[in-house]
Amino acid sequence: QGLKPGAPMLLWHLREAQAAGYWSELDIVSSPDCGCREMEDWTVLARFRGAKQRRRIKPWSPAPAPWDLSLLAAECNLMRWRTAKGLVDESRWNAFVQHVRKTMQTFDIASTRDEWPDPLVMERAGGLTYQRLDY
């Protein structure tokens, strides 16, 4: 789940691996989170290249993620902790998910297709604004 609870570092590494040629496909699908009709989440589908194709790829290790992306990952971890303590409700999560999505887009990581039963619900979810918590 790319947006909730949030996996910005995973998404970064998958995208970097795709750029290096390790994936033949990387599909990021936007859809409602299971059980939360108005909460967006991303399901990531990656197809690894076959053994013959991989042999032609140079050895690779990902570059360090940008600092702001690392901060977003820490913020995702903090939201998980707050949720476990009962400090975050569904509406706050919905808005936080949009914050994660918008931040990921600044790093050219975005959904490649949408699978929403109702486009109006998707549009409503995308318009939410997150206010950072101070606790």
Side-chain angles (χ1 to χ4, degrees):
Q1 296 173 318
L3 296 180
K4 182 182 185 257
M9 299 303 279
L10 173 65
L11 292 165
W12 169 262
H13 289 299
L14 288 171
R15 205 249 349 235
E16 292 291 297
Q18 181 189 27
Y22 278 74
W23 307 117
S24 61
E25 285 179 56
L26 181 62
D27 200 14
I28 301 172
V29 182
S30 171
S31 63
D33 183 62
C34 59
C36 302
R37 184 173 177 260
E38 295 193 15
M39 187 178 301
E40 181 178 11
D41 204 354
W42 288 352
T43 301
V44 181
L45 308 166
R47 182 170 298 191
F48 204 59
R49 291 198 182 277
K52 287 182 181 180
Q53 293 173 315
R54 281 196 313 269
R55 279 189 225 118
R56 290 181 253 155
I57 299 171
K58 293 185 229 173
W60 166 85
S61 62
W67 181 249
D68 286 347
L69 196 69
S70 297
L71 291 177
L72 180 64
E75 198 171 10
C76 290
N77 290 336
L78 183 57
M79 282 296 283
R80 281 190 285 275
W81 178 85
R82 287 174 173 149
T83 300
K85 299 293 181 188
L87 302 172
V88 178
D89 62 10
E90 186 176 324
S91 65
R92 179 74 67 172
W93 257 114
N94 285 349
F96 180 73
V97 160
Q98 294 309 309
H99 164 66
V100 174
R101 180 183 59 80
K102 290 169 187 168
T103 304
M104 295 304 296
Q105 288 173 335
T106 66
F107 296 101
D108 296 321
I109 300 171
S111 62
T112 53
R113 66 183 160 116
D114 302 320
E115 294 294 334
W116 286 74
D118 185 346
L120 293 175
V121 174
M122 179 185 169
E123 185 178 322
R124 211 170 33 245
L128 297 172
T129 304
Y130 177 66
Q131 301 257 328
R132 279 201 165 87
L133 301 170
D134 62 356
Y135 54 88

